[in-house]
Structure formats: structure tokens, C-alpha cells
Amino acid sequence: MRPTIVLLSPLDGHRELTARLHRAGSYTEGPVFDRLERGEHVFGVDVSGDVLDEFEEEEITGISARLGEFGAVLLEYPDVSSVRDLLREVIHGMSGLLDTNYGELLEFADVLDRFRREPAWDWRVTAR
């Protein structure tokens, strides 16, 4: 399996987030993962929210305290460089949290700021 991240957004912005993903390239619905093609990069997208079953109850409580009711998108990506470009486009101007799956839960604005400050930032390396 390729690496994944989880995008968590308040319900009032969740529909916009999923719409942005649909517009971010060639989007095809699939049986498990939807397929998003952007140039040579292919992403797996799961907007079902089923990924939340993998979260601990206290994690859900903490996220709810920060976002209120929220939705989740599981995003499978080929490499950090390609997902960085995608994230710049789809989370810009939105509120929400990025779960890096490497122990960090970051505000969307902080993620974009980090991309500006450190263009080659790779959360998989800094989390070790």
C-alpha cells in the first residue's frame, strides 16, 4: 500500500474540500478508492469517512473539540512532492486538520505555511 494522509474538515467545509479534489484533475469513482489523476501522478481518494474507524475514541474527541462535527478524506499518494502540490491547491483558504499518519495532526494553514517556509518538507522524515 502507498502512503496515506487524512484530511479532516468541519462539515460545513467538507463538501467544498471533496469538490476541490474532484476538480483537481481527472477524477474517477472506484469500488474502494476513487482515482485522481494529475499529470503523471495518481492518487487514491476515499471520501466515505470509513478511515475514522481506525481512530481511537480520544482522537475523535480531540478532533471534534477543534473542528466540531467533521468529515474525513483518506488520500493515498505516490510521493510527498506530488501530494504537496495537490494540498496547496485543495486546502488553500479552508479550515481543517491534516493527519500525516506520522504522529502529527496539523492545521491546514500551518501545513501551507510550512510548505512556504520549507519547500522540501517531508513529514515522514521530520516525525522520526
Side-chain angles (χ1 to χ4, degrees):
M1 184 169 160
R2 298 185 311 166
T4 60
I5 56 173
V6 181
L7 303 174
L8 304 154
S9 57
L11 282 186
D12 63 351
H14 187 68
R15 186 170 299 172
E16 174 62 21
L17 177 64
T18 59
R20 287 181 182 192
L21 285 166
H22 279 83
R23 293 189 306 260
S26 176
Y27 196 97
T28 309
E29 293 186 6
V32 177
F33 276 99
D34 295 345
R35 181 180 175 97
L36 172 61
E37 295 180 47
R38 285 176 54 95
E40 67 214 37
H41 303 289
V42 177
F43 300 87
V45 182
D46 179 4
V47 297
S48 70
D50 290 347
V51 69
L52 293 175
D53 293 341
E54 298 176 23
F55 283 68
E56 300 287 330
E57 189 173 323
E58 63 254 6
E59 289 176 305
I60 297 290
T61 301
I63 294 166
S64 293
R66 293 171 73 177
L67 299 179
E69 284 189 78
F70 66 94
V73 175
L74 177 63
L75 188 62
E76 182 185 65
Y77 59 94
D79 57 54
V80 171
S81 175
S82 61
V83 78
R84 188 182 306 120
D85 291 341
L86 176 64
L87 289 174
R88 281 187 183 111
E89 182 176 326
V90 300
I91 68 172
H92 178 76
M94 299 197 70
S95 62
L97 300 170
L98 168 70
D99 182 342
T100 65
N101 282 327
Y102 282 84
E104 293 184 282
L105 195 59
L106 307 167
E107 296 277 345
F108 286 173
D110 293 339
V111 170
L112 294 173
D113 183 54
R114 186 88 180 257
F115 289 161
R116 280 188 291 277
R117 288 184 291 115
E118 300 174 53
W121 173 52
D122 182 342
W123 51 82
R124 300 169 309 162
V125 174
T126 57
R128 292 182 189 156

